Amino acid sequence: MQVFIENLAADHQYQPTRLLLILRAIQARYHYIPEPAIQQLAGLLNIPSTQIIGVVEFYSFFHLQPRGQYELLISDSITDAMLGKHNLMGYLSEKLQVSVGAVRSDGLVSLDNTSCTGLCDQGPAGLVNGYPLTRLDRPRIDLIADLINQQKPVEAWPSELFEVEDNLVKSGLLLEQPIQQGAALKATFKRGLKETLVEINQSGLRGRGGAGFKTAMKWQFCSEEQETVRYVVCNADEGEPGTFKDRVLLNSYADQVFEGMTVCAAIIGASQGFLYLRGEYLFLYDKLQTVLEQRRAAGLLGNNILGQGVGFDIEICLGAGAYICGEESALIESLEGKMGVPRNRPPYPVTQGYLGKPTVVSNVESFMAAAAIAEQGGNWFAAIGTEKSKGTKILSLCGDCAKPGIYEYPFGTTIQTILDECGADDVLGVQVGGPSGTFISNQEFHRKLAFEDLATGGSFIIFNSSRNILDIVNNFTHFFAHESCGFCTPCRVGTSLLKKQLDKIIEGHGSAGDVVSLEEICQLVKSYSHCGLGQTAANPILTTLERYPELYANRLKKISYEPGFDLDAALETARRMANRHDAAAHLAQVGEDHE
Amino acid sequence: MSKTITIDGKTIPFEDGQTIMEAATAADVYIPHLCHHPEFTPHGSCKLCTVKVNGRNCSACTFPAAEGQDVLNNTQELIDDRRKITQMLFVEGNHFCPSCEKTGNCQLQAVAYHLNMLDDHFPLFYPNREMDASHPDVLIDHNRCIFCALCVRASQQHDGKNVFAISGRGINKHLIFNAESGQLKDTDLDKNDKAAHICPTGAILIKRTGYQVPIGQRIYDHHEIDEVSLATTEHQHGE
Ligand SMILES: Cc1cc2nc3c(=O)[nH]c(=O)nc-3n(C[C@H](O)[C@H](O)[C@H](O)COP(=O)(O)O)c2cc1C
Ligand code: SF4
Ligand code: SF4
Ligand code: FES
């Protein structure tokens, strides 16, 4: 192991910023991060061992204790649940003789849940040693169990298990006509860098990652900084459950995305760029490296791009299972090899980002659109959409519809239009923008896709009337509690409180006042949290409570006080210890008799 | 003319580069805080110092003062919510004040008094946390840690060491020590280090000194935290 780690650190030039990549390699080989490896790495990278432990304990894909040689993770996304995930998980657990969250006694396999893997259009999905398993069903699970029990290396598993489809259903402005390789850069150099920024400004392009900040403005701020070392970062963390459009863009339009990054680099004067790829998209890594190689060979990356004296290159960094790393300042921390804890702002990344230098962080789709605009001009893009939301939005549609997949729509399109086209009937509601977005009811389908009405980073989850809203809210609320980085009090404690309080109500232990308490916690988490995760973590509850107050009220008991737990169940241990089975050793839940 | 902001209507001067907290403290205005300490880089994690700046919630300890800001600090809404945030800190750990060596000298307890916190309000988490009594002079009781990272910063920025770090994610956050064994005794912590004395709660205690000052004669037994905080420029409360 010592030699392996020595070589690994050398491969990464002993750079602490590469910590995540190094740890990924150790986890892949040993299926945990052994203590001696931590000590050795601390010495080699010249960082405190506590930084390494911190990182290992922060990211879901790293472990201090051994996991199985086959690390199986099954996606916990609501859409997977709707496709029968719970049933499958039970089957898998039985078949493999391992309980959820555990490692089998022979150490061969471990099984656990993981947050949305970005495969909601082809779930139930999972990961084995980091590689995606799609369309899981019982026959596939039988096969997987056999392969594991035969100890077949994952590389030798049948490739159909790992097939990831694009499911590109509806193309528009961007997807219909990808740019020719190099066309955007040529147009940019021909027009002039400043002039191209004017075009991007003219286009009205707003960030596609969620917040909707004007892309040209962000690039401009960064270019105006005194500091001359600047960075371009493409945010491909895509962690919002139900979002998978960046997966498809990187699978089939990566060249254009990299071109957009290069246009940005030329404009702001950056010589280094990063693609921060979520760990779940490991399967895209080699392919993306090939695209980069090919662009280098074509003179579109490197020291002297298109002979214009501009030097720029792109490095791919992989995440390791943390939704918070999609938040731009947490992403930068992660790029630096640290825990993904959001920074205090100001200063913003455009002023002080990666290694303290001015940094543009934009979404995959933003770069892709910028490349097209650089070629076609601003008006081409601005001609489509609404006054405040120009151009198109690429959606990842999933849930209860005939054709889940990728759809590109002009901003301003109504929800009803989208539902009609994807074959969704009997719709109860739609979660627009993922758990951090809004749940809209079937009374609101006239509403529009737009920053000024319903904004989304791409997630669009459809629920038909067979679905239970509280189950959905419960899934989302647990997601946020699991993904809270824990830095600030309102989110760290508040998301756990929300989870407990919601569980109490859903399990039927709530009484008068409990919905009011729930709302109170929601307001605290929303108003006082440090970053967008906490600020939106209460949205699933708030947006459904607003629309379906009776759903919550109906779960309450008509008494003034109800213990938050099952009294009788709590006595179980005591009964066992006392060896008592008689009626007197049981307790009725207080108040139930008065109902 | 120096630049100014207003806090609850009162005009307060500030210098460029100062945070709202720094400007307020210099002008004798108390803003409740736990993770802030004037000697160290602000952290911005406890959120007790939240003020409304031109209508928007901001952490006073990290947010830069800027000309003309209208800051609200002592509104009933902020006081109520700060109390609830304090209650969150209480229920998340295990704080049995009457049996804690730090009682009366504890800033968490003192802030709770100040905000008129009379109960826990939220359900208790009763986490299972341990103690580290391995060090000859210093005791760590993880039950009382509020993850303010003051010990982390004091060790790095004052003692020139790196004894503490905060690890883990979400509700599983916990304090760790920089030693192969993970035990405090194997770190280079000395009982005279600033880091050993900075903890606002009873999570870091100096052994054999706990009851030198009897309960009833301790700082916050007699003084409000705002008064102590503003009087001691050094902010050595709880020592
Ligand atoms: C918790 C959280 C998660 C986020 N995840 C992503 C993400 O996966 N991808 C993304 O592009 N932006 C994400 N964002 C938004 C980023 O912080 C940032 O605004 C965005 O990357 C900027 O790019 P844009 O201007 O092109 O949208 C997230 C924000 C928060 C608060
Ligand atoms: S809001 Fe949540 S995710 Fe964001 S900093 Fe606070 S604890 Fe971390
Ligand atoms: S031990 Fe004390 S000083 Fe250190 S993080 Fe915990 S509460 Fe803060
Ligand atoms: S004192 Fe400002 S956040 Fe803690």
Side-chain angles (χ1 to χ4, degrees):
Chain A
M1 181 169 80
Q2 226 168 339
V3 179
F4 174 75
I5 285 167
E6 168 67 50
N7 291 340
L8 191 59
D11 287 348
H12 290 281
Q13 293 88 45
Y14 306 99
Q15 289 299 311
T17 48
R18 301 289 188 78
L19 183 60
L20 264 78
L21 289 173
I22 295 173
L23 291 174
R24 287 188 62 99
I26 299 176
Q27 177 75 37
R29 168 138 182 182
Y30 299 101
H31 302 289
Y32 77 119
I33 313 292
E35 171 65 27
I38 294 174
Q39 297 306 330
Q40 193 190 345
L41 262 187
L44 290 168
L45 305 183
N46 196 19
I47 51 174
S49 60
T50 44
Q51 181 183 335
I52 305 179
I53 296 171
V55 166
V56 173
E57 294 196 308
F58 189 88
Y59 295 91
S60 298
F61 295 168
F62 298 144
H63 301 273
L64 288 176
Q65 301 303 324
R67 305 303 294 163
Q69 285 168 48
Y70 294 88
E71 296 181 56
L72 260 183
L73 294 171
I74 304 297
S75 167
D76 222 0
S77 175
I78 185 70
T79 52
D80 293 298
M82 287 155 63
L83 292 165
K85 175 241 163 157
H86 293 296
N87 196 329
L88 281 179
M89 193 73 158
Y91 184 67
L92 193 56
S93 163
E94 195 187 294
K95 203 71 202 169
L96 284 168
Q97 292 292 302
V98 57
S99 46
V100 180
V103 186
R104 197 162 86 182
S105 54
D106 62 0
L108 188 64
V109 54
S110 55
L111 180 63
D112 213 338
N113 287 301
T114 191
S115 295
C116 175
T117 49
L119 297 160
C120 308
D121 53 337
Q122 43 207 304
L127 298 169
V128 60
N129 293 351
Y131 290 93
L133 297 164
T134 51
R135 288 174 289 269
L136 290 171
D137 53 17
R138 287 189 177 223
R140 284 193 169 212
I141 285 174
D142 291 340
L143 175 61
I144 290 169
D146 286 345
L147 290 164
I148 289 177
N149 287 329
Q150 292 157 18
Q151 308 202 24
K152 259 247 164 77
V154 170
E155 304 80 64
W157 288 19
S159 64
E160 68 256 26
L161 286 175
F162 302 103
E163 246 160 46
V164 178
E165 308 271 347
D166 272 358
N167 291 330
L168 210 166
V169 185
K170 189 181 162 66
S171 307
L173 198 61
L174 294 174
L175 297 175
E176 202 126 73
Q177 226 187 8
I179 63 163
Q180 291 290 316
Q181 187 178 63
L185 277 167
K186 283 177 197 147
T188 300
F189 289 128
K190 185 157 170 231
R191 188 189 296 114
L193 299 174
K194 280 217 175 68
E195 291 72 12
T196 300
L197 187 59
V198 170
E199 290 296 328
I200 296 173
N201 189 38
Q202 205 91 47
S203 76
L205 175 63
R206 294 170 65 171
R208 297 316 197 217
F213 194 78
K214 264 192 101 170
T215 302
M217 224 142 77
K218 189 187 285 188
W219 295 12
Q220 171 147 10
F221 287 155
C222 189
S223 70
E224 285 167 354
E225 284 296 319
Q226 292 284 317
E227 178 64 59
T228 51
V229 177
R230 307 189 185 112
Y231 294 99
V232 177
V233 176
C234 176
N235 188 344
D237 195 56
E238 191 156 70
E240 188 73 37
T243 320
F244 47 87
K245 49 112 189 158
D246 292 343
R247 181 196 87 210
V248 175
L249 298 184
L250 290 172
N251 190 43
S252 299
Y253 297 82
D255 202 55
Q256 184 166 341
V257 175
F258 291 140
E259 184 128 345
M261 290 175 71
T262 315
V263 169
C264 173
I267 290 174
I268 70 162
S271 54
Q272 178 65 53
F274 297 98
L275 174 76
Y276 187 88
L277 185 66
R278 69 182 310 216
E280 290 81 349
Y281 292 169
L282 172 66
F283 71 102
L284 292 172
Y285 185 80
D286 291 338
K287 190 168 180 179
L288 291 168
Q289 290 290 13
T290 312
V291 177
L292 287 178
E293 272 309 322
Q294 204 265 322
R295 288 185 67 83
R296 283 182 198 116
L300 298 168
L301 284 175
N303 291 332
N304 186 10
I305 294 172
L306 291 176
Q308 298 284 329
V310 171
F312 179 67
D313 213 322
I314 297 170
E315 192 181 301
I316 305 175
C317 294
L318 277 159
Y323 166 64
I324 188 59
C325 289
E327 194 281 337
E328 56 186 9
S329 66
L331 183 153
I332 290 170
E333 288 282 303
S334 184
L335 272 180
E336 291 182 1
K338 303 183 199 148
M339 301 194 286
V341 174
R343 294 176 175 175
N344 283 301
R345 298 186 294 173
Y348 290 89
V350 285
T351 325
Q352 283 182 36
Y354 183 66
L355 302 178
K357 308 294 184 197
T359 304
V360 161
V361 182
S362 290
N363 176 256
V364 174
E365 186 184 343
S366 307
F367 282 120
M368 164 145 170
I373 294 161
E375 193 201 5
Q376 310 262 8
N379 290 334
W380 166 77
F381 194 76
I384 287 187
T386 71
E387 195 200 329
K388 293 202 177 99
S389 316
K390 299 297 183 194
T392 58
K393 182 74 194 91
I394 301 172
L395 298 179
S396 16
L397 252 74
C398 57
D400 295 313
C401 65
K403 287 173 286 174
I406 302 297
Y407 292 70
E408 182 179 10
Y409 281 106
F411 273 117
T413 305
T414 64
I415 302 303
Q416 189 63 56
T417 310
I418 300 172
L419 291 174
D420 290 344
E421 292 197 11
C422 71
D425 336 297
D426 190 23
V427 181
L428 172 71
V430 181
Q431 186 75 29
V432 184
S436 72
T438 309
F439 188 96
I440 59 160
S441 79
N442 51 19
Q443 304 303 304
E444 303 169 68
F445 294 163
H446 56 279
R447 294 182 63 183
K448 294 187 167 84
L449 189 66
F451 289 104
E452 58 270 35
D453 189 357
L454 289 167
T456 169
S459 180
F460 193 101
I461 313 175
I462 303 160
F463 301 100
N464 70 22
S465 58
S466 73
R467 307 297 173 186
N468 179 332
I469 290 175
L470 289 180
D471 286 347
I472 300 165
V473 174
N474 195 38
N475 176 288
F476 293 166
T477 303
H478 281 243
F479 166 77
F480 285 118
H482 180 254
E483 296 294 342
S484 163
C485 87
F487 171 74
C488 71
T489 315
C491 172
R492 181 183 66 243
V493 186
T495 53
S496 280
L497 282 172
L498 281 179
K499 182 171 106 168
K500 284 174 201 270
Q501 185 71 7
L502 187 68
D503 285 349
K504 178 179 175 184
I505 293 170
I506 291 181
E507 283 161 18
H509 297 303
S511 55
D514 270 323
V515 173
V516 179
S517 311
L518 183 71
E519 245 182 313
E520 178 193 46
I521 307 167
C522 286
Q523 288 308 335
L524 284 170
V525 177
K526 189 185 170 87
S527 313
Y528 291 92
S529 287
H530 180 68
C531 83
L533 189 153
Q535 288 156 14
T536 58
N539 284 357
I541 298 174
L542 287 170
T543 59
T544 52
L545 198 52
E546 186 192 333
R547 290 168 174 80
Y548 311 94
E550 69 291 346
L551 271 185
Y552 288 82
N554 290 345
R555 292 288 176 122
L556 301 182
K557 301 207 163 156
K558 286 158 201 63
I559 45 165
S560 59
Y561 178 78
E562 161 81 24
F565 55 92
D566 184 336
L567 284 179
D568 191 53
L571 285 177
E572 180 53 29
T573 320
R575 270 195 300 271
R576 255 189 287 125
M577 283 164 64
N579 205 9
R580 295 236 337 233
H581 311 287
D582 55 303
H586 287 271
L587 206 57
Q589 198 75 353
V590 180
E592 264 187 334
D593 344 8
H594 309 292
E595 232 180 296
Chain B
M1 265 278 307
S2 75
K3 300 180 178 179
T4 60
I5 58 175
T6 63
I7 300 185
D8 295 331
K10 189 175 153 197
T11 303
I12 309 263
F14 74 93
E15 286 159 29
D16 278 333
Q18 272 188 326
T19 59
I20 292 174
M21 178 72 82
E22 285 164 340
T25 310
D28 257 2
V29 171
Y30 173 71
I31 302 176
H33 57 267
L34 281 169
C35 70
H36 169 73
H37 188 293
E39 283 172 47
F40 305 114
T41 321
H43 199 234
S45 61
C46 73
K47 299 300 172 205
L48 217 64
C49 70
T50 307
V51 289
K52 267 207 159 58
V53 182
N54 302 335
R56 216 182 104 211
N57 284 345
C58 295
S59 306
C61 69
T62 59
F63 206 76
E67 182 62 37
Q69 278 168 344
D70 177 21
V71 179
L72 296 179
N73 174 31
N74 266 320
T75 68
Q76 198 54 49
E77 181 190 337
L78 283 169
I79 294 169
D80 288 345
D81 288 348
R82 286 174 185 153
R83 185 190 316 114
K84 289 175 199 162
I85 292 171
T86 309
Q87 284 162 325
M88 285 184 172
L89 288 170
F90 270 89
V91 300
E92 170 192 30
N94 296 305
H95 298 272
F96 307 110
C97 299
S99 67
C100 175
E101 270 187 36
K102 190 82 170 215
T103 184
N105 281 337
C106 171
Q107 290 180 47
L108 178 63
Q109 187 187 40
V111 159
Y113 290 152
H114 180 76
L115 297 168
N116 198 25
M117 174 183 144
L118 300 173
D119 62 7
D120 287 321
H121 188 66
F122 301 116
L124 287 149
F125 287 28
Y126 298 117
N128 197 353
R129 298 198 197 156
E130 306 204 321
M131 307 231 291
D132 181 322
S134 64
H135 193 282
D137 302 312
V138 182
L139 175 84
I140 308 285
D141 188 341
H142 290 285
N143 289 294
R144 303 173 188 146
C145 179
I146 57 168
F147 317 113
C148 69
L150 271 171
C151 57
V152 179
R153 286 174 281 160
S155 184
Q156 287 168 349
Q157 296 169 23
H158 182 277
D159 305 331
K161 301 180 183 178
N162 219 328
V163 175
F164 301 98
I166 290 175
S167 184
R169 188 167 90 191
I171 201 69
N172 300 317
K173 278 245 138 64
H174 57 116
L175 189 70
I176 58 172
F177 315 124
N178 193 9
E180 212 171 317
S181 66
Q183 290 192 313
L184 195 65
K185 73 172 162 58
D186 297 319
T187 66
D188 52 354
L189 180 74
D190 182 88
K191 76 158 185 262
N192 296 314
D193 286 353
K194 185 105 184 175
H197 299 262
I198 198 89
C199 183
T201 78
I204 304 182
L205 297 167
I206 305 296
K207 289 182 177 174
R208 296 173 296 277
T209 60
Y211 292 97
Q212 280 172 358
V213 180
I215 293 172
Q217 294 176 28
R218 297 176 174 191
I219 304 173
Y220 305 114
D221 293 338
H222 299 281
H223 303 276
E224 280 271 332
I225 193 167
D226 52 347
E227 180 196 331
V228 178
S229 177
L230 293 171
T232 47
T233 42
E234 278 286 277
H235 281 245
Q236 291 287 17
H237 34 188
E239 280 287 282

